[in-house]
């Protein structure tokens, strides 16, 4: 008689290692924000930034508890409702942006304002800002995991036609919200979404030839871009805004553009290079660093604690990534496998981009460092990720959790 494995229990293990990593990252975040206060305008709130970050961390802890109480399966249907709510919020932001460009004013009520030229946030009195796109990237990763799982259950063979059908389903779900985010404009979030979902798709069981095709396309696009950037700049400016191309000027030639486009990179290199092995201490103010509490928080920590501090954050990020990787490998649930794979891709890309841009390896962008940079919406969204991962980690991971049944 054929015997099948059946689950006899679903143990509620609490992942203390993952929890410990997150606690250390939050403490590091609070210390980094404190160290950045002399570089942040007083109008931003001073020590209130630390209290707000702590408040959002507490809210994130409550979110983890709620997610772990209900479980991932119960939240998958709810995620569909959240998708439409966030989509409506993105549409309202888009309409406000169009109204602002035409009239020079935002919708009445003061709930929406532009920050650094982008209309991406709702203003919540007494609390701060709410950025729907931060949560939409999480929702799209979860929905894509559900789409991949359903597709794999229904498909009968591995063909190019089947893969194209999967691509169509994912694009149909992601295209509208990504376009709305891109128009805010927020290119950084769009890149995060694209990379996360691309990695999930490649890990979903599609034909490996797609990886080769995708890699060739990326190389061709990059080669074409840099050819036009270096030799046909006027032609390229017809398709890409000049302020975006100036970011590449600041990246490739920081010394020539240290007053304007290359200022952030130039000062970041000065701050890190002058910090030495142990840094110059808390709240440095010898070198001004723009966006010290958000995009360039790694520079502040590196300047305060030197090479040792920079290596500490690198090790901390690696510990988080490796933990997510081990949970992905151990998970028996395909939905959670795909989902955590997307979360891992999101984290790794943001870490590489944020830390790589301040040492000149990548262009400067507005991408923050997960769990370290200041930001209520982003921090809460990452806590939601940890809640979902905690549930996946808590499920059966060993053969001893299964028995043979008739």
């Amino acid at each position: 008689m054929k015997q099948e494995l059946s689950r006899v229990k679903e143990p509620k293990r609490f992942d203390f290692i993952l929890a410990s990593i997150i606690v250390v990252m939050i403490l590091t975040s609070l210390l980094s924000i404190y160290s950045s206060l002399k570089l942040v305008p007083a109008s931003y709130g001073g020590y209130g930034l630390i209290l707000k970050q702590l408040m959002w961390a507490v809210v994130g802890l409550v979110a983890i508890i709620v997610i772990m109480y209900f479980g991932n399966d119960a939240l998958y249907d709810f995620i569909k409702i959240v998708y439409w709510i966030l989509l409506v919020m993105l549409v309202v932001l888009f309409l406000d942006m169009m109204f602002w460009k035409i009239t020079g004013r935002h919708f009445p009520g003061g709930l929406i304002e532009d920050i650094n030229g982008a209309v991406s946030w709702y203003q919540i009195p007494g609390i701060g800002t709410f950025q729907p796109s931060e949560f939409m990237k999480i929702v799209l990763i979860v929905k894509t995991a559900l789409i991949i799982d359903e597709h794999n259950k229904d498909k009968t063979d591995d063909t190019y036609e089947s893969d194209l059908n999967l691509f169509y389903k994912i694009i149909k779900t992601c295209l509208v919200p990504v376009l709305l985010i891109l128009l805010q404009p927020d290119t950084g979030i769009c890149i995060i979404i694209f990379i996360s979902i691309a990695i999930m798709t490649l890990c979903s069981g599609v034909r490996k030839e797609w990886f080769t095709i995708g890699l060739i396309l990326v190389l061709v696009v990059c080669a074409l871009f840099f050819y036009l950037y270096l030799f046909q700049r006027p032609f390229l400016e017809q398709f890409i805004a000049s302020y975006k191309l100036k970011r590449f000027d600041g990246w490739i030639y920081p010394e020539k553009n240290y007053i304007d486009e290359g200022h952030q990179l130039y000062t970041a290199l000065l701050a890190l290079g002058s910090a030495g092995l142990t840094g110059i201490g808390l709240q440095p103010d010898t070198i001004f660093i723009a966006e010290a509490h958000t995009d360039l928080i790694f520079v502040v920590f590196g300047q305060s604690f030197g090479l040792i501090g920079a290596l500490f954050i690198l090790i901390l990020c690696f510990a988080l990534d490796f933990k997510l990787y081990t949970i992905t490998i151990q998970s028996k649930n395909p939905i959670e496998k795909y989902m955590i794979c997307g979360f891992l891709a999101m984290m790794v890309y943001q870490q590489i981009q944020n830390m790589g841009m301040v040492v000149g390896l990548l262009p400067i962008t507005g991408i923050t460092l997960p769990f370290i940079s200041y930001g209520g919406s982003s921090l809460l969204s990452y806590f939601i990720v940890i809640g979902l991962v905690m549930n996946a980690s808590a499920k059966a991971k060993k053969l001893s959790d299964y028995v043979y049944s008739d």
Side-chain angles (χ1 to χ4, degrees):
M1 181 181 296
K2 183 179 180 181
Q3 292 180 312
E4 295 181 353
L5 284 171
S6 62
R7 193 183 300 258
V8 294
K9 59 181 178 178
E10 188 174 293
K12 291 294 183 181
R13 298 189 185 96
F14 183 80
D15 198 325
F16 287 99
I17 296 177
L18 179 58
S20 299
I21 293 171
I22 299 303
V23 168
V24 175
M25 295 189 90
I26 293 301
L27 293 176
T28 303
S29 173
L30 297 175
L31 182 61
S32 301
I33 294 170
Y34 170 78
S35 193
S36 72
L37 291 182
K38 285 189 177 180
L39 302 170
V40 177
S43 59
Y44 283 25
Y47 288 94
L49 293 175
I50 301 174
L51 295 176
K52 284 184 179 179
Q53 187 79 342
L54 183 59
M55 178 199 72
W56 282 111
V58 172
V59 174
L61 177 61
V62 173
I64 289 178
I65 294 171
V66 171
I67 291 171
M68 293 190 70
Y69 176 80
F70 286 102
N72 288 352
D73 292 340
L75 294 172
Y76 292 149
D77 289 333
F78 180 68
I79 215 80
K80 299 173 184 177
I81 300 173
V82 175
Y83 171 84
W84 288 107
I85 292 173
L86 292 174
L87 190 61
V88 170
M89 296 182 77
L90 290 174
V91 169
V92 173
L93 286 174
F94 171 74
L95 295 175
D96 178 86
M97 180 191 67
M98 298 301 296
F99 183 77
W100 172 53
K101 287 186 174 181
I102 294 173
T103 66
R105 296 176 297 170
H106 292 283
F107 287 158
L111 290 178
I112 303 176
E113 293 181 6
D114 59 288
I115 300 177
N116 295 329
V119 183
S120 305
W121 295 268
Y122 286 89
Q123 304 291 330
I124 305 175
I127 297 179
T129 59
F130 176 81
Q131 188 176 0
S133 58
E134 288 284 359
F135 298 92
M136 180 59 86
K137 69 183 181 187
I138 307 301
V139 169
L140 290 179
I141 289 174
V142 176
K143 283 185 68 66
T144 299
L146 294 169
I147 291 171
I148 292 172
D149 180 66
E150 182 181 3
H151 174 83
N152 286 344
K153 286 179 179 177
D154 294 340
K155 73 176 182 180
T156 55
D157 51 9
D158 295 323
T159 62
Y160 288 110
E161 184 180 356
S162 175
D163 292 345
L164 289 172
N165 185 36
L166 174 61
F167 299 158
Y168 169 74
K169 293 174 184 177
I170 294 173
I171 292 172
K172 184 173 67 172
T173 299
C174 299
L175 183 60
V176 173
V178 168
L179 286 177
L180 289 172
I181 295 169
L182 186 64
L183 291 170
Q184 291 179 352
D186 192 340
T187 309
I189 296 287
C190 293
I191 294 174
I192 293 170
I193 293 171
F194 174 79
I195 290 177
S196 302
I197 292 176
I199 296 298
M200 292 173 68
T201 306
L202 290 174
C203 296
S204 67
V206 297
R207 298 176 70 90
K208 300 307 178 185
E209 290 84 350
W210 292 112
F211 177 80
T212 305
I213 294 171
L215 183 60
I216 292 172
L217 284 175
V218 169
L219 292 175
V220 168
V221 170
C222 289
L224 179 60
F225 170 82
F226 279 105
Y227 170 77
L228 295 175
Y229 171 79
L230 294 171
F231 304 108
Q232 300 291 335
R233 180 72 172 257
F235 176 79
L236 189 60
E237 288 179 346
Q238 298 179 35
F239 303 95
I240 301 178
S242 60
Y243 79 90
K244 292 184 178 180
L245 292 178
K246 287 180 180 178
R247 290 183 181 179
F248 286 90
D249 296 337
W251 172 43
I252 298 174
Y253 311 108
E255 293 86 0
K256 293 182 180 179
N257 299 277
Y258 71 92
I259 295 179
D260 38 47
E261 290 84 10
H263 178 72
Q264 281 186 303
L265 176 56
Y266 187 76
T267 54
L269 292 172
L270 282 178
L272 290 172
S274 62
L277 181 64
T278 58
I280 62 176
L282 292 170
Q283 295 192 334
D285 58 359
T286 54
I287 300 174
F288 177 75
I289 301 170
E291 305 297 336
H293 62 311
T294 54
D295 301 350
L296 272 67
I297 195 80
F298 177 70
V299 177
V300 173
F301 198 84
Q303 187 182 22
S304 299
F305 300 101
L307 178 62
I308 293 175
L311 288 175
F312 173 77
I313 288 187
L314 282 171
I315 293 170
L316 203 55
C317 290
F318 176 79
L320 175 62
D321 299 340
F322 185 74
K323 184 60 183 174
L324 293 179
Y325 170 76
T326 57
I327 294 172
T328 306
I329 296 300
Q330 293 169 345
S331 176
K332 307 299 179 183
N333 185 312
I335 297 177
E336 290 172 347
K337 256 187 190 300
Y338 302 136
M339 181 175 66
I340 302 173
C341 183
F343 293 153
L344 178 58
M346 175 185 72
M347 294 287 183
V348 171
Y349 168 70
Q350 288 192 243
Q351 292 160 0
I352 292 174
Q353 175 63 50
N354 182 272
M355 291 184 281
M357 72 183 185
V358 298
V359 295
L361 295 177
L362 294 167
I364 295 285
T365 61
I367 291 178
T368 56
L369 187 59
F371 291 106
I372 306 294
S373 295
Y374 172 81
S377 296
S378 61
L379 185 61
L380 180 56
S381 70
Y382 298 135
F383 268 98
I384 291 171
V385 166
I386 296 303
L388 295 168
V389 173
M390 281 284 193
N391 280 339
S393 179
K395 293 180 180 178
K397 296 179 285 187
K398 300 177 181 178
L399 188 61
S400 59
D401 292 324
Y402 296 82
V403 297
Y404 283 104
S405 62
D406 294 332

